[in-house]
Amino acid sequence: MAERARSVAEASGADVIRIWTYNFLGVALVGVGRVEEGFESLRRSYREAMQHELRWIAGTALHNNCALMKWVGEPRALQTLEWEPMLSARNVGIWSTTSPVPVEDGSMYC
């Protein structure tokens, strides 16, 4: 359904919905084992949201990326150390303060 929503948004020129849909698509792809595609979809959502100044979508993409990296396990969990500073620095809304925050040993706290 997320792929269909993206296609409809793209065909109708609804950029905000298309960019938002990359979040849902990314989470779904990781969930069905298409991990690399899923993370690329989340990264794309983040990049395009920032280009369009859609900070709330960018924040969701960062939050989902960090949470999923932790959930898929090592060594990806440590990669969240690179993403976490962007949550605070970008001031992307509620996700800045509610995202799981990585610590040096790879564990998370909220």
Side-chain angles (χ1 to χ4, degrees), residues 80-102:
T80 61
L81 293 169
E82 298 170 20
W83 284 78
E84 187 276 329
M86 289 189 288
L87 288 164
S88 299
R90 299 278 191 251
N91 191 25
V92 292
I94 191 169
W95 301 118
S96 298
T97 56
T98 63
S99 290
V101 178

Side-chain angles (χ1 to χ4, degrees), residues 53-83:
E53 297 185 29
L54 302 168
R55 289 191 350 228
W56 52 281
I57 295 175
T60 304
L62 283 174
H63 170 84
N64 288 341
N65 188 75
C66 287
L68 288 172
M69 284 183 142
K70 173 62 179 170
W71 293 333
V72 299
E74 293 286 344
R76 288 193 189 272
L78 292 175
Q79 291 177 1
T80 61
L81 293 169
E82 298 170 20
W83 284 78

Side-chain angles (χ1 to χ4, degrees), residues 14-23 44-62 90-93 95:
D15 285 337
V16 173
I17 300 302
R18 179 184 54 76
I19 294 165
W20 181 240
T21 302
Y22 282 117
N23 258 286
R44 182 172 183 174
S45 183
Y46 172 77
R47 283 191 312 268
E48 292 190 23
M50 291 302 292
Q51 290 170 354
H52 287 84
E53 297 185 29
L54 302 168
R55 289 191 350 228
W56 52 281
I57 295 175
T60 304
L62 283 174
R90 299 278 191 251
N91 191 25
V92 292
W95 301 118

